[in-house]
Structures are given as structure tokens and as C-alpha cells.
Amino acid sequence: MAERSKIDSSETSLSFAYEETPGVLPVSPIWIGLEPNEYDDFGIETTLTARNPINKSRQRKKGRVTDIDASGGITQDFTNENSQAILPNFMFANYRTHGGAEDFSTDAFAETFTANAGTDNATVVGHGLSTGDGPFFLTTTVTLPGGLALATPYWVVYSGVNTFQFATTYANATDDAPIIVNITDIGTGVHTMTRAAVVDTVNDHFAVTNPTGFRAGSLIFTSGFGLPANNGLFEVDDVSGNVVEVTANLAAETLPPVNAALSNVGFRSAIGDVDVDANPGVAFPAFTSTVLDFTTLGLIVGEWIFVGGDGEVAAFTNAENNGFKRIRSVAANRLEIDQSSVLMSDEANATKAVEFYFGRVLKNELRPLIVNKPVQLERQLG
């Protein structure tokens, strides 16, 4: 007798993906792994009409199925990473981010396209792209359309709901008269375009999908890149177009993994720019500035921030002015605090480039910020 295959249910994993609409996944769903310790409940429950045993002919009838409910319950540790992605589903809200540029893995795009040598257009039905989106890298099963190349970044020039053109730089794509790639033939095989961040050693920069919110002095945290030199905490030196330059030595990485991400996690002030106003005459202590406009950092009332970096120059001299603080109000040159780990004190700063750290904020929102975030769970066995 042939050996029967079996599934060992002790070998299991669980992933989820956000749906576009309830019950409908996007064309290219992003599956995110969970770390369950145990399953409390996972599967379907049926609702039956009750039996009505009047005579012997009905005694064996178990009822008719009238409803099926699916349920999934797990127990997992609440750590820094494993629960963040799914929490918006429970909170009916999106994360509040600082400046709009957050995790570029959420902008993943991998679609097949066709090319037209007569119009220089590429076609992806319902692509949802805008001029300046990118960079994209192209692959093919045989030969790319003439004029396009492998391992080369391209940016989009919108030309229609289902069509767009390629440009070789962000500047060419967003110019008033876009400079587009001349497509000379349609190529052969199946062509795919994939969006990803790119790392270059020229001025040590990340070429990102959307540079909005990054500025000189921003502190960014990167993760998921294939080369260790490109992961970690960096200070932004300059932003030009979609290029974010940092004050560190990066390693060239043409096509990072799809989970490569950049997050805006803080800001370093100019030397001597931020003081502490905590004299007895004020109702609430505050950070005050001359140059830094606190309203540009995307901070909100009630948000917790962490003040002070590792280096001596990155923190206030008075230890009580560093650490966790809760924001009471945000004005251009005044950040008022209503909760502090310790009582703050007056400090006139002349030599410190103080660092402020913040994270994404997830909170109960009021309309119209309440959103439905349906997910689909997939459990693998064996």
C-alpha cells in the first residue's frame, strides 16, 4: 500500500493581508506574518435550524444549515514589531505619521505591463500611479521593450487611467515638459515593473517613492535592506527631488528586498536653537525655538515624544529636561508639555543640537478619520 501523505498540525504559521474592500484582496496582496503562541479558535461555526422530531421519519434529521460564521482567535506576545501592522484593523484608524513619508514597503507595486512603440506608453489596467512615482525596476521573461533596460530605475509620467510613460530620473518625470523614454519595440515575453527604494553611494542617498516630510535634520530609521550599512538610524543632510541624502556612508544597493523601509522617527535641532521655558510663572513647561517650526514635524496633542540623544551634544544639560514628554499644544516656536517623567527646569541652551524622537500614533479617531480596515487571515499547516 502506498504511503499516505499527512499534515503535521504542529507545524503551522499564520499571515494576514489587508483587503481593498471586505472580502476582496488587492491584485498583489502583501502578506504579513504573525507570531501566534496558540490558537484560541480558528475555523467556521455553522448555525442549524432546530430538529422537529414528530415521527420516526424525522428522528435522524439534524437540521438545515442556515448560516456559517468564520472566526479566528490567537494568543501572541505584544512586542515592538509583531503587532504593529495589524493594530489599525482593531482601532478602525490609520497610523498618524510625521510628514507623510513612512514605510515604503506599503507602497509595493509589482505588475506586468505591455508597451506601445508608437505612443511610448506602457499599459497596466487601473494602475493608480501618478507622475513622479518611482523608482521602478523592470524585469522580463525574454526581452524588454526597446529603449528600456534591466537594473535601471524609472519614474512614471501619467498619461491615462490605464497608461503611463517612463522617465529615467524624477526630475525628467516631473518637468513641465517631461523627458520620456523612447520605446522602439514592444519586446518579447512577459514584462514586470516593481517599485522599490534604491541606495546610492553618490552623496550617500536613498531614492524614495515620496520624499514629502523629509528635510535636513530629520532622523530616519531604515530596516529590511540587504546590506547592513543601509540599516539603522541616519540624519538627513539634504532632500532634492526624490533623493534623501544622509550624513553617513551607505552601500550601493540597486534592488533592495521588498520589505525595505524608511521611517521618519525624529529631528535634530540646530545648535543652540531650542531652550526650555519652565519658570514658575508659566502654567506648563515648554520647549521654545528661534528657527525650528514645531508645526512642521507632524506632532499632535496628546502624543508622547522622547527628548535627547545618546551623545552629550544631542541632549539638554539638565537631565530632567530629557526623557519622555507628553504634548499639550503645538505652536510654531513653542511645544507645550503637560506630562513629564520628572519635573522640568528652565534652561537656556547655547551649545546643544537637541534630538527629538517620535513614533507613529494610533488612536481612537473621530469622523471622518474612522476607517474600515478589513483583513484576511491565512493559516498554513504542515
Side-chain angles (χ1 to χ4, degrees):
M1 178 182 294
E3 182 179 353
R4 298 179 62 184
S5 61
K6 69 183 183 72
I7 294 178
D8 187 348
S9 61
S10 66
E11 297 179 11
T12 180
S13 61
L14 183 66
S15 302
F16 77 94
Y18 278 102
E19 299 174 334
E20 286 188 338
T21 57
V24 179
L25 286 171
V27 175
S28 300
I30 299 174
W31 291 98
I32 303 170
L34 294 171
E35 300 174 348
N37 296 325
E38 63 180 2
Y39 296 101
D40 299 326
D41 182 23
F42 210 95
I44 63 170
E45 295 181 0
T46 57
T47 301
L48 307 177
T49 54
R51 292 188 304 117
N52 188 18
I54 296 177
N55 53 52
K56 290 183 178 180
S57 66
R58 293 186 177 182
Q59 292 297 313
R60 296 182 180 276
K61 292 185 178 180
K62 298 180 180 180
R64 181 170 56 87
V65 175
T66 59
D67 192 20
I68 297 178
D69 293 321
S71 61
I74 66 170
T75 300
Q76 74 172 23
D77 299 326
F78 191 80
T79 69
N80 184 47
E81 296 291 340
N82 68 359
S83 298
Q84 288 192 37
I86 201 170
L87 281 176
N89 168 258
F90 294 96
M91 298 293 290
F92 292 92
N94 290 315
Y95 278 106
R96 298 280 196 102
T97 61
H98 298 86
E102 186 67 18
D103 294 326
F104 294 99
S105 57
T106 61
D107 293 323
F109 184 99
E111 299 288 346
T112 58
F113 70 94
T114 57
N116 186 315
T119 62
D120 296 325
N121 276 328
T123 297
V124 175
V125 176
H127 55 71
L129 300 173
S130 302
T131 293
D133 281 353
F136 293 91
F137 291 91
L138 312 181
T139 57
T140 183
T141 57
V142 186
T143 305
L144 282 174
L148 300 174
L150 300 171
T152 301
Y154 292 98
W155 284 260
V156 161
V157 178
Y158 179 90
S159 60
V161 174
N162 301 318
T163 59
F164 52 87
Q165 296 164 322
F166 289 111
T168 55
T169 67
Y170 178 84
N172 286 351
T174 57
D175 192 84
D176 290 339
I179 303 172
I180 62 173
V181 173
N182 177 29
I183 296 178
T184 58
D185 62 63
I186 64 173
T188 55
V190 178
H191 317 308
T192 302
M193 56 186 293
T194 303
R195 175 160 51 190
V198 63
V199 188
D200 202 323
T201 55
V202 177
N203 295 327
D204 292 304
H205 73 258
F206 296 93
V208 299
T209 303
N210 179 6
T212 304
F214 290 131
R215 52 186 285 190
S218 292
L219 299 173
I220 63 174
F221 183 78
T222 64
S223 61
F225 287 90
L227 299 176
N230 299 330
N231 295 314
L233 181 67
F234 302 101
E235 180 183 352
V236 175
D237 184 48
D238 188 32
V239 179
S240 177
N242 72 318
V243 170
V244 178
E245 298 179 14
V246 298
T247 57
N249 294 322
L250 302 177
E253 193 166 349
T254 302
L255 189 59
V258 294
N259 64 331
L262 286 79
S263 298
N264 201 354
V265 298
F267 189 82
R268 179 195 287 266
S269 64
I271 293 176
D273 183 50
V274 179
D275 301 324
V276 180
D277 179 10
N279 68 70
V282 299
F284 294 93
F287 298 106
T288 60
S289 66
T290 302
V291 177
L292 175 60
D293 184 346
F294 290 109
T295 64
T296 65
L297 301 182
L299 301 171
I300 62 174
V301 172
E303 178 178 354
W304 285 88
I305 61 174
F306 187 87
V307 181
D310 292 335
E312 182 180 347
V313 73
F316 287 105
T317 300
N318 299 339
E320 60 270 22
N321 294 330
N322 302 313
F324 286 102
K325 317 291 178 185
R326 191 176 72 178
I327 298 172
R328 182 178 185 272
S329 65
V330 184
N333 300 112
R334 188 177 182 87
L335 188 65
E336 202 164 73
I337 302 300
D338 65 2
Q339 291 287 336
S340 174
S341 51
V342 291
L343 187 65
M344 297 171 64
S345 64
D346 234 28
E347 183 172 344
N349 163 36
T351 60
K352 303 300 182 71
V354 179
E355 295 178 358
F356 294 82
Y357 290 91
F358 35 74
R360 298 182 297 177
V361 177
L362 188 63
K363 61 188 288 287
N364 291 321
E365 301 283 8
L366 300 174
R367 294 188 182 277
L369 297 179
I370 298 174
V371 294
N372 187 14
K373 305 282 289 185
V375 300
Q376 191 168 124
L377 294 168
E378 183 176 281
R379 182 183 179 186
Q380 296 85 34
L381 298 175

